[in-house]
Amino acid sequence: MDNKNVYCVIMAGGIGSRFWPMSRTSFPKQFHDILGTGTTLIQQTFERFLNICPKENIYIVTSSIYKDLVSSQLEGIDDANILLEPSRRNTAPCIAYAAHRIRKENKDAVMIVAPSDHLVLKESAFNKTIDCALTQAKNSGNLVTLGIKPSRPDTGYGYIQFEEDPDSDLEQVRKVKTFTEKPDIELAREFIHSGDFYWNSGIFIWTIDSILDAFAKYLPEVNDLFVDIESALGTDKEAAAISKVYSMSESISVDYGILEKAKNVNVVLSDFGWSDLGTWGSLFTQIKKDKEHNAVVGKNVVLSNCSDNMISVPEEKLVVIQGLNDFILVDTNDVLLVCPKADEQKIKQIVNDLKMNKNGHFV
C-alpha cells in the first residue's frame, strides 16, 4: 500500500489517573519517561509510526493545555498536525475530528488510531501486524482493531471475543463476535480458558470512508456536528469551530458508540510485546526485578525484608523501607502513595475523591 495514503492519529489528551501521583492533570503520563529509557511514551509512539507513514501524515489529538508539551517533545512536528481539543469528550469526538480533518486532505486515506502511552517491545512484529491490518481495512472496508494475546486474566482490560472470518484470506484476521469491558476476575478467567478472547489494545485501523460511514450510521449527532464545520477545518476558523462543536458533543467512546454496534468489525490477532501501561501494576510487569521481586525506579532505595513491591521515588531522595510486601509505593515532590497492589484499581477513585474536596490541586 502506498504509505502516502496512510495516516496515523495519536490520541494524547488523557490524564492517566490510574498512574497518579506521577501522572497529573498538568503533566500526564504520556509526557513522562516512565521506563527510564531516556524518551517519553509519546516520543516512543511518534517514532514508532515514523516507520509506517510520513511525518506529515501523523496527527496528535490532545488537550489545548498540552500543546506546548507536544511541541517541545516531538521535534519537527508542524503546529498544523496538532489538533487541540477544548474539552475532554472521550474517543469518539476525538476520532471524528481527526477523520474529518484528514478527509479534507486525502479522501483515499487509511487511518490508524493509537493511544500515545502504550508500550511495544517487538517493533518488527508490530509493523507486520499494522501492515496486515491496513491490508484488511483497505480490501474489506471493515473496521479493524488489534487484539492482544492475553497472558493473564487481567480485570483492567477490555476483551474481544472472535470467530472465524470466511471472507478474509489473512491468517491473523478474525471476525469480532463481542466486546466486553473490564470483566471481574472470574469472568476474565473464563475468557482466558476459552481461548477465543483477546485483550482490546485500543488501536484501530480503517479507511476514512468506512469510519465516517459508521459515524453517520451509529453516532449521527456527533457526525453532523463535524460535517457542519468541515469547511473550517485546516483554516484560521478551525479553533472557534471546534470549540463550538465540543461544547455541543456528547462524551462517548468509539468502542461503545460504534464498534460494539457495528457488524463489520475485524480483529487482527497480535503478539508484539504490548502493554497499555495503564496502572502501576502493568509497569511492575515491565521493569527488571531484584532477587526479592521488587521493581524499583530510583537510585537510592534501600530495602530490607521487602518483596513483590512496585516502588517509584525521586532519584535524589534516599528511601529506606523495612518489611513491605506486595505494595505500590510512589513518592513525588508533594505526594506519597502507599497502596496494596491488589487494590490498584482503586487509585482512579482516590483521584476522583480528591477532585471533589479541598485536595484537588494534588491531581
Side-chain angles (χ1 to χ4, degrees):
M1 182 183 301
D2 186 351
N3 73 348
K4 291 182 180 179
N5 288 333
V6 176
Y7 287 71
C8 178
V9 174
I10 299 174
M11 299 181 293
I15 297 173
S17 57
R18 291 182 295 166
F19 239 105
W20 183 84
M22 177 187 286
S23 187
R24 309 287 186 94
T25 299
S26 60
F27 203 90
K29 69 170 181 170
Q30 58 267 31
F31 302 108
H32 285 270
D33 176 15
I34 286 176
L35 296 165
T37 62
T39 56
T40 66
L41 294 176
I42 192 172
Q43 288 171 333
Q44 291 181 25
T45 303
F46 186 72
E47 290 293 327
R48 187 177 306 131
F49 284 104
L50 285 176
N51 296 320
I52 293 169
C53 67
K55 181 171 67 175
E56 58 269 24
N57 288 9
I58 300 178
Y59 285 84
I60 313 296
V61 186
T62 190
S63 169
S64 56
I65 65 174
Y66 303 141
K67 181 183 185 298
D68 290 343
L69 277 171
V70 172
S71 297
S72 65
Q73 291 202 3
L74 302 184
E75 185 178 351
I77 191 167
D78 195 294
D79 282 350
N81 287 51
I82 305 174
L83 307 186
L84 300 176
E85 297 183 289
S87 55
R88 292 182 176 87
R89 289 292 185 267
N90 214 312
T91 57
C94 159
I95 290 168
Y97 178 9
H100 280 278
R101 173 71 177 270
I102 291 169
R103 181 171 70 173
K104 194 173 180 185
E105 179 179 333
N106 184 348
K107 293 181 179 180
D108 297 321
V110 184
M111 176 180 175
I112 305 165
V113 180
S116 60
D117 51 6
H118 288 188
L119 175 68
V120 171
L121 296 176
K122 304 173 185 176
E123 296 281 351
S124 178
F126 176 78
N127 291 341
K128 290 178 181 177
T129 302
I130 290 291
D131 283 344
C132 174
L134 288 169
T135 298
Q136 178 66 14
K138 180 70 173 177
N139 291 347
S140 70
N142 290 345
L143 309 176
V144 181
T145 183
L146 304 188
I148 306 298
K149 186 177 182 179
S151 59
R152 60 189 180 277
D154 198 302
T155 61
Y157 293 147
Y159 287 74
I160 299 170
Q161 185 181 24
F162 57 86
E163 57 190 2
E164 293 296 325
D165 186 352
D167 297 324
S168 177
D169 297 326
L170 301 173
E171 184 178 351
Q172 288 177 267
V173 175
R174 300 290 188 276
K175 183 176 176 62
V176 171
K177 188 175 182 180
T178 61
F179 288 90
T180 302
E181 183 65 19
K182 297 179 182 178
D184 61 33
I185 188 63
E186 291 302 322
L187 190 54
R189 287 183 180 130
E190 290 181 22
F191 288 170
I192 299 297
H193 182 71
S194 74
D196 59 353
F197 284 83
Y198 269 41
W199 289 334
N200 186 356
S201 69
I203 300 172
F204 311 114
I205 301 92
W206 38 53
T207 66
I208 288 294
D209 285 344
S210 295
I211 189 58
L212 291 182
D213 285 349
F215 267 101
K217 183 173 182 179
Y218 301 109
L219 287 176
E221 296 86 357
V222 173
N223 188 62
D224 288 347
L225 290 172
F226 287 93
V227 169
D228 289 344
I229 65 157
E230 194 168 288
S231 62
L233 299 181
T235 74
D236 57 4
K237 299 179 181 179
E238 179 172 321
I242 288 297
S243 180
K244 180 180 179 181
V245 162
Y246 268 66
S247 70
M248 300 167 65
S249 177
E250 67 174 309
S251 178
I252 188 169
S253 72
V254 74
D255 303 68
Y256 182 75
I258 292 178
L259 296 176
E260 292 184 14
K261 300 171 183 176
K263 305 301 182 184
N264 63 327
V265 185
N266 286 125
V267 58
V268 178
L269 306 186
S270 313
D271 186 5
F272 44 76
W274 173 90
S275 172
D276 77 340
L277 291 181
T279 65
W280 288 107
S282 61
L283 180 61
F284 176 80
T285 66
Q286 302 298 329
I287 292 181
K288 185 178 179 180
K289 318 294 191 299
D290 65 17
K291 62 181 181 180
E292 304 300 332
H293 213 240
N294 298 294
V296 179
V297 179
K299 293 185 176 180
N300 299 297
V301 180
V302 179
L303 303 177
S304 178
N305 194 28
C306 296
S307 63
D308 296 294
N309 298 296
M310 175 66 241
I311 298 167
S312 178
V313 299
E315 288 189 357
E316 69 278 3
K317 192 170 190 176
L318 173 64
V319 177
V320 182
I321 305 173
Q322 164 72 37
L324 191 69
N325 300 291
D326 212 28
F327 266 73
I328 298 166
L329 187 151
V330 183
D331 190 16
T332 67
N333 291 332
D334 58 347
V335 175
L336 173 66
L337 170 71
V338 184
C339 173
K341 289 217 320 273
D343 292 337
E344 69 169 352
Q345 296 295 336
K346 296 180 181 178
I347 293 176
K348 187 171 184 177
Q349 185 58 51
I350 292 170
V351 173
N352 290 337
D353 292 343
L354 289 172
K355 288 179 182 177
M356 299 299 291
N357 60 40
K358 296 180 181 179
N359 294 317
H361 61 286
F362 287 111
V363 301

